[in-house]
Amino acid sequence: MNFYQKVYQVVKKIPSGKVATYGQIGSIISSPRSAQIVGFALRALPENSGVPWQRVINSEGRISIQNLRHRQSEQADLLKKEGVEVEFRDNAYCVDLAKYLHRFKRFG
DNA sequence: AAGGTGACTAACA
DNA sequence: ATGTTAGCCACCT
């Protein structure tokens, strides 16, 4: 199982209605400095992978997707559909991490 | 096989 | 507070 596969495994564990950060995912798979690699893994995801990539946001609680295939507004809509409050502020979509960050068993 | 590329982050200025 | 920089490291040439 390569790094990307590990990332997908962890992302799949994020329950609907919750979010996680790139750095958090990296920490879970014992690679706390590879947050950016986590982003690569999600970018490499095919269209209908079954991996809830929309639940992964950056450490500031903002949506940082920069993929031509999807837009930030699309990720925001998906999260709203799952019950996550997303607020558009300062030209970016924001989520309250204190409220919606998922706590993994091995993290926090 | 060596170097470039970033859906990141924390540290600076 | 806001913008920039330098580490970061699995993948892809």
Side-chain angles (χ1 to χ4, degrees):
Chain A
M1 178 182 285
N2 61 27
F3 191 90
Y4 282 17
Q5 296 300 322
K6 289 185 192 170
V7 170
Y8 303 149
Q9 292 285 325
V10 175
V11 173
K12 280 186 194 162
K13 289 185 186 148
I14 308 170
S16 180
K18 290 286 185 179
V19 299
T21 70
Y22 297 96
Q24 195 182 7
I25 306 285
S27 293
I28 297 289
I29 57 184
S30 310
S31 191
R33 307 278 173 260
S34 55
Q36 201 164 18
I37 314 298
V38 173
F40 295 167
L42 298 185
R43 181 191 58 184
L45 232 35
E47 194 80 31
N48 296 112
S49 57
V51 177
W53 55 268
Q54 71 274 17
R55 294 174 196 157
V56 185
I57 60 181
N58 68 27
S59 64
E60 299 183 330
R62 297 151 150 273
I63 288 175
S64 58
I65 183 176
Q66 295 222 341
N67 187 319
L68 297 178
R69 207 159 64 206
H70 301 285
R71 298 171 181 218
Q72 298 199 336
S73 61
E74 181 184 350
Q75 183 172 1
D77 287 341
L78 286 169
L79 289 177
K80 286 181 196 163
K81 240 182 275 181
E82 298 179 346
V84 177
E85 295 176 73
V86 185
E87 178 186 359
F88 192 74
R89 183 202 317 160
D90 293 335
N91 223 26
Y93 292 90
C94 311
V95 174
D96 184 356
L97 285 183
K99 216 170 186 177
Y100 294 105
L101 182 67
H102 175 55
R103 306 304 189 96
F104 288 90
K105 280 183 280 187
R106 261 188 115 67
F107 191 88

